[in-house]
Structures are given as C-alpha cells and as structure tokens.
Amino acid sequence: MRFPSYLGFWKRSVPGYDEAPRFDMYDEPHKKRKNQILEDHPEIEHLYGYDTNTIWITATVVGVQVGLAYVFGNILTDWTWTMLLVAYIVGGSISTQIGIIFHEFTHNLCAATTLQNRWVGNFANIPLLAPLAQSFRRYHLEHHTYQGVYGYDPDLPLEWEIRLIGNDPVRKFLWLIIYGVMYIGRGLAQQKQLSRWELINWAWTIGCDVALYYFCGARGVLYLVASVLLGFGLHPGAAHFIQEHYTFRDGQETYSYYGSGNWFWLNIGYHNEHHDFPLVPWTKLPEIKRIAPEYYDDLAYHTSWCAVLYMFVTSSLLAPQSRVVRTLDAHRYARKHLKVPTKDQVKTLSAEKAAFVAKMKKTADLNMEKARARKMA
C-alpha cells in the first residue's frame, strides 16, 4: 500500500542504462487515491456533472477557425507567410483546444446525454478535417481503463518508436513535430474494426470537408491542414502529451501542470486530478486540489509547457522509453484486490512514505551526477 500519494516503488527508465520502459508490478495509482480522497472529502462528488459552457466555447473556436480558412482562401490569397504564422499561433492553439474539447465530450462532460456529447465532438471535429473525434473517445477511454498496461494502453509509445528515436536530441525534436500523427498511428496499430460512431464520424467529416473546400477553396483547406500539423506538433498547447505520463521522477507516472496555459486550454494540465476524478468537468478540476491538497502537494508537477518540451529534447534522462508499464495480469489482480489503508495504518504508512521520498530524491540526485559525468566525458 502506498498511502497517501500512491507513488510507485520503481525507478524511472534511464536512457543509456535501460533499454525499455520501466515495468511496475503494481497497479496505477488513481483508483486507490480516488477512493481514499472520497473517504476524507466526500463533498468532491458534488463536483461531478457537466458544463454546457464547453458547447459555447466549441461553437466559438470552430467559427473562428472556419472563418480564418475562408479569409485565407478567398481574401488574403497572397499572404502565405502570414497564413503560416497565423496557422501556428492561432490555428494551432485552436486545434489543440479542440483536442481538449474531444477530451471533455469523451467523458460526457459537455452535455446531459451521451448522444449530445457525441455530436459536440463531431461538431468540434469540423476544422480538423480528419475523422478523429469518435476514435479519440474510444481509445482515450481505453487509456483510462488500462493506464500503462502494455499492449492495451494506446497512449504508450510503440516499440519501434522507442528503438528508432532512442535518446538522440535531433530525433526527439523531429518526433515531437509529428507527435500528433504518431498519436493517431498508435490507435491504428491496434487494428480494431471501426465502430458505428466512428463510421458516422467518417461520413460527417467527409461531408464537412466537401463543404469547406467549396466555400474556402484549396488554400483555405491548406490553412486548416497547417493548423492541425503545427498545433499537434512542437506547440505549447500539445506539450501536455509529454507532461502527462512521461516519467520525470521515480515512482510517479502521472503529472499535472499548474500554469497560465490552463486558462486557454481548459485546465487540461490538471491531469492527476482528472485521472482521479474523470467525472469532474474542466471548470471544476482546480477545486479538487483546493479541497484535498494533502493528496497533491507532494506530487511533482510542471509550471511551463515550453520547459517540458525543452527538457524532453535536451535531457539525456528523457526519451520515448521514459514511461512505466505493467502487465495485464498485474492490472487485473490489482483491480480484483483493490483496497485502501485503514485509519490505523495511516501513521505508519506516512512514515514509510517520507523515507521513500527521501530515498528517491537521493537516487535522482545521483542520476543527475551520472548524466553530467557522461556529458563531461
């Protein structure tokens, strides 16, 4: 038992010393931490629900993005460099925000019914051109169900990604540029038959793409393509893909981001809080940390998405292999034997935790010294 933060006892996979992600014999921390928090703070259940403000945000960003596609396709037809700059700054930011809207509708956090949420996702999908909404829903829910389970969690890098990218800064930089494409590829690699809603998403998207081409022209469509590729690549709004589960600290597999980017990107940085309570909409995620700080203050977190991208590219301690994985058997055993500590065990476990955190800090300092020694050599 790992009360109260439920950190693991594993050491993170270090490129150059380890060849693969770190294997953990225990389950992911969120289910147990959720149960423990609800014992101490049952009022958090009052935060469950949905927030229809997300629908109005969706309508606004889709309208802005389609409007810009019309402008660059029919009015500013010779403003190529301006179009690319706007595609990165504005279009890329909107594209990544739409990805986060996908995240909200996936958990039925935008409207009262599943059907309404699915159509919020389809509407948000319009500027992205590719039929992504319903596939994202399918695979993101699997990520929550099988977090870190090798072969089942579609968020995990594939073996060939780890081998090909290695720990080379240039290849890591290029990998981040095409990360959105790789994210889609991991879902395709599972070779699952399209669901009914994915087929609906395909038909809807094809119809919308034809309409966009008719009204905005090829150049307008090119603006939307650039927005998607730039937004889901080396963009601050896409840095949460690295922030969330790449291991920056021994024993911790999920990380939150507490920075100003949460204002525009719908609190997507509150990732520990979201995994603990996926039924809480984005507007109320900060309340979880405010109500139960004792469960989150000791966890490592990020304050800059640009720093996350910089560290991932330049640090010899971070690479695509910097994840923790577990077997399906370990996952199933943990779910079958799920338990949290009793009140009488808390004092002992807290002391054990303090000793373990001190040990992890010592190990992390030692790894940094080894990394510096390798660079000097």
Side-chain angles (χ1 to χ4, degrees):
M1 292 181 289
R2 299 162 287 167
F3 176 89
S5 305
Y6 294 100
L7 295 173
F9 297 111
W10 45 270
K11 299 188 188 318
R12 59 180 172 158
S13 176
V14 178
Y17 291 95
D18 305 296
E19 296 181 355
R22 177 66 63 217
F23 264 92
D24 183 26
M25 62 183 292
Y26 293 100
D27 60 319
E28 52 87 8
H30 302 292
K31 189 75 171 178
K32 288 183 178 180
R33 190 160 61 218
K34 169 190 173 182
N35 291 352
Q36 187 67 53
I37 291 174
L38 287 178
E39 281 192 17
D40 294 341
H41 303 284
E43 66 271 23
I44 285 180
E45 288 189 329
H46 296 305
L47 302 177
Y48 293 2
Y50 59 92
D51 192 328
T52 56
N53 285 314
T54 309
I55 297 175
W56 302 113
I57 292 172
T58 303
T60 300
V61 297
V62 170
V64 169
Q65 190 68 335
V66 172
L68 286 171
Y70 181 85
V71 167
F72 286 115
N74 297 286
I75 302 174
L76 304 180
T77 55
D78 58 346
W79 290 33
T80 302
W81 289 110
T82 300
M83 182 181 77
L84 292 176
L85 184 63
V86 172
Y88 181 80
I89 297 175
V90 180
S93 298
I94 288 176
S95 294
T96 50
Q97 190 182 61
I98 288 173
I100 296 163
I101 291 169
F102 285 179
H103 186 261
E104 290 295 296
F105 102 81
T106 289
H107 294 284
N108 291 339
L109 301 176
C110 302
T113 69
T114 299
L115 178 63
Q116 291 170 333
N117 277 278
R118 283 192 182 273
W119 278 105
V120 170
N122 282 345
F123 184 78
N125 201 145
I126 292 173
L128 300 191
L129 300 176
L132 303 176
Q134 305 305 326
S135 294
F136 177 88
R137 183 182 190 277
R138 177 181 190 173
Y139 291 114
H140 182 70
L141 291 177
E142 289 186 0
H143 164 61
H144 273 264
T145 302
Y146 298 107
Q147 181 181 314
V149 178
Y150 190 73
Y152 288 81
D153 182 354
D155 188 65
L156 292 170
L158 302 173
E159 287 185 5
W160 68 264
E161 288 181 75
I162 293 173
R163 291 196 304 269
L164 179 63
I165 305 306
N167 195 27
D168 179 73
V170 174
R171 290 199 293 268
K172 287 193 288 185
F173 179 82
L174 296 174
W175 185 66
L176 289 178
I177 290 177
I178 62 168
Y179 195 87
V181 177
M182 295 309 309
Y183 201 80
I184 296 171
R186 293 170 193 164
L188 295 175
Q190 295 197 7
Q191 298 181 338
K192 293 185 177 182
Q193 186 175 358
L194 293 176
S195 68
R196 180 172 66 92
W197 271 101
E198 285 176 298
L199 292 173
I200 292 172
N201 194 186
W202 271 84
W204 165 263
T205 301
I206 291 171
C208 290
D209 289 352
V210 171
L212 286 169
Y213 182 81
Y214 179 81
F215 288 106
C216 302
R219 184 177 170 83
V221 171
L222 179 62
Y223 164 77
L224 294 175
V225 170
S227 297
V228 173
L229 295 178
L230 293 172
F232 286 99
L234 201 67
H235 191 285
H240 68 89
F241 291 121
I242 303 300
Q243 158 235 310
E244 291 167 352
H245 295 292
Y246 284 83
T247 52
F248 292 78
R249 171 183 176 180
D250 294 343
Q252 184 173 329
E253 62 182 287
T254 304
Y255 298 79
S256 287
Y257 156 83
Y258 304 128
S260 58
N262 281 318
W263 180 84
F264 181 80
W265 282 285
L266 311 185
N267 286 332
I268 193 64
Y270 286 82
H271 206 62
N272 266 305
E273 293 83 351
H274 166 68
H275 265 275
D276 290 350
F277 298 97
L279 299 181
V280 174
W282 67 273
T283 49
K284 297 178 180 178
L285 286 175
E287 279 294 292
I288 298 173
K289 187 174 186 297
R290 186 192 65 79
I291 292 171
E294 69 273 22
Y295 288 92
Y296 297 104
D297 285 352
D298 289 341
L299 297 177
Y301 60 90
H302 299 282
T303 57
S304 169
W305 275 327
C306 291
V308 167
L309 296 175
Y310 179 80
M311 283 191 294
F312 187 84
V313 171
T314 61
S315 175
S316 61
L317 298 177
L318 292 166
Q321 73 182 61
S322 302
R323 298 291 293 259
V324 60
V325 299
R326 52 186 55 84
T327 65
L328 182 62
D329 287 342
H331 170 79
R332 286 174 172 169
Y333 179 87
R335 285 291 176 266
K336 185 177 180 180
H337 299 86
L338 187 70
K339 59 182 179 180
V340 296
T342 64
K343 297 292 185 182
D344 294 336
Q345 294 172 309
V346 168
K347 186 175 181 179
T348 300
L349 290 170
S350 296
E352 292 176 354
K353 177 204 166 189
F356 177 63
V357 169
K359 182 179 178 181
M360 284 195 301
K361 184 178 184 304
K362 184 177 179 181
T363 301
D365 292 341
L366 181 61
N367 285 339
M368 289 297 294
E369 289 298 325
K370 289 181 179 178
R372 293 192 190 99
R374 288 203 307 275
K375 285 186 177 181
M376 293 295 293

